[in-house]
Amino acid sequence: MSIVKNILNIKKKINDTQLIVVTKKQSLDNIEKAYSSGERNFGENRVNELIVKKALLPNNIKWHMIGHLQTNKVRSIASFIHLIHSVDRLKLLNEINKCGKLENRIINCLIQVKIAEENTKHGFSEKESIELLNSNYKEKYPYVNIKGVMGMATLTNNTNIIESEFKRLKRIYDHTKQMKILSMGMSNDYQIACKAGSNMIRIGSAIFK
Ligand SMILES: *Cc1c(COP(=O)(O)O)cnc(C)c1O
């Protein structure tokens, strides 16, 4: 199957959910195929790779940072990044705010919530997320616009576990005011995520297979 067909197939199943094409480790050739089919929202999990690709690809692409982000890398994406999905600690939020101020640009972010059981996944706990989102963070971080939450489910074939984790994230999303983006769902679990209320999915391998 082709990249274009894979995208069409996925889009048929997700209604109005926003698709983020995860281009990590992909060649420019492959990414251009996704671009030519009309996709404009691309996600990367490494800053260096993101910057190289951005320089070589059309400049109307909206770039999403979806992976763990080191504070010393924020400055290099602050002027253009469309959305940072992976805000997983206060120190990072603080740094994004600082870089936003330097650029005089309000940076769109999602709070990454740890919904999986695995210890390897980054993110705020459920309790920490709710505390943050109900706090006066807008005064403290005026150059950050928290638009919603992001989460990754446990890597398992047990759909019950995945479903309950996504439902937990949906509850956090519903519980906090003025949230617009619920970023959850990857190649293996996006249909479960959409059923649970996701409005943004991040898909790599199901497109570039
Ligand atoms: C790689 C990655 C994805 C996409 O994963 P696939 O299983 O290839 O669809 C989504 N989100 C994050 C944070 C990733 O690192």
Side-chain angles (χ1 to χ4, degrees):
M1 252 206 276
S2 75
I3 288 167
V4 175
K5 274 189 193 161
N6 292 338
I7 290 174
L8 275 174
N9 263 331
I10 291 165
K11 288 192 124 175
K12 263 190 253 162
K13 294 178 192 156
I14 61 170
N15 294 323
D16 294 334
T17 306
Q18 171 74 57
L19 171 65
I20 311 301
V21 178
V22 177
T23 52
K24 65 187 184 202
K25 298 184 193 131
Q26 294 303 321
S27 66
L28 291 177
D29 222 40
N30 278 350
I31 301 171
E32 276 161 357
K33 287 194 180 113
Y35 182 87
S36 73
S37 78
E39 296 310 309
R40 293 294 180 268
N41 286 273
F42 293 166
E44 281 286 333
N45 68 341
R46 286 173 194 273
V47 167
N48 295 358
E49 218 177 308
L50 194 161
I51 289 171
V52 169
K53 285 173 180 164
K54 175 184 157 50
L56 298 169
L57 287 160
N59 62 17
N60 62 348
I61 290 174
K62 293 172 180 162
W63 288 101
H64 296 245
M65 179 62 200
I66 62 173
H68 185 65
L69 179 55
Q70 288 169 270
T71 48
N72 63 5
K73 297 275 174 73
V74 177
R75 187 74 212 272
S76 53
I77 59 171
S79 67
F80 69 87
I81 197 76
H82 184 69
L83 180 65
I84 300 174
H85 292 231
S86 44
V87 178
D88 56 5
R89 58 206 191 280
L90 291 176
K91 191 172 163 229
L92 179 60
L93 196 58
N94 198 40
E95 183 64 20
I96 295 169
N97 185 61
K98 255 205 255 168
C99 294
K101 188 172 182 185
L102 288 170
E103 297 287 344
N104 195 26
R105 177 174 187 260
I106 292 172
I107 300 174
N108 293 326
C109 291
L110 304 179
I111 295 303
Q112 183 171 350
V113 186
K114 190 178 174 306
I115 51 172
E117 294 304 324
E118 301 152 281
N119 286 324
T120 52
K121 300 269 194 289
H122 296 283
F124 288 94
S125 71
E126 182 172 348
K127 186 166 170 281
E128 290 165 341
S129 317
I130 291 175
E131 263 171 27
L132 171 62
L133 294 167
N134 287 331
S135 73
N136 63 347
Y137 68 85
K138 283 179 186 159
E139 284 158 43
K140 205 165 169 196
Y141 310 106
Y143 289 90
V144 170
N145 183 10
I146 299 179
K147 299 197 79 164
V149 290
M150 181 272 239
M152 278 184 273
T154 301
L155 198 60
T156 170
N157 291 325
N158 185 332
T159 54
N160 292 330
I161 292 177
I162 297 171
E163 194 185 344
S164 78
E165 289 173 352
F166 283 152
K167 281 183 173 167
R168 251 181 82 205
L169 189 59
K170 173 69 159 63
R171 278 198 299 275
I172 296 168
Y173 171 79
D174 287 337
H175 181 81
T176 47
K177 284 165 282 194
Q178 295 166 336
M179 293 292 112
K180 295 204 163 54
I181 300 176
L182 177 55
S183 169
M184 61 184 194
M186 302 167 42
S187 291
N188 291 325
D189 55 23
Y190 69 89
Q191 285 173 285
I192 304 171
C194 288
K195 250 198 214 156
S198 168
N199 57 26
M200 187 174 275
I201 56 171
R202 311 173 308 273
I203 308 285
S205 48
I207 293 172
F208 301 106
K209 62 187 173 188

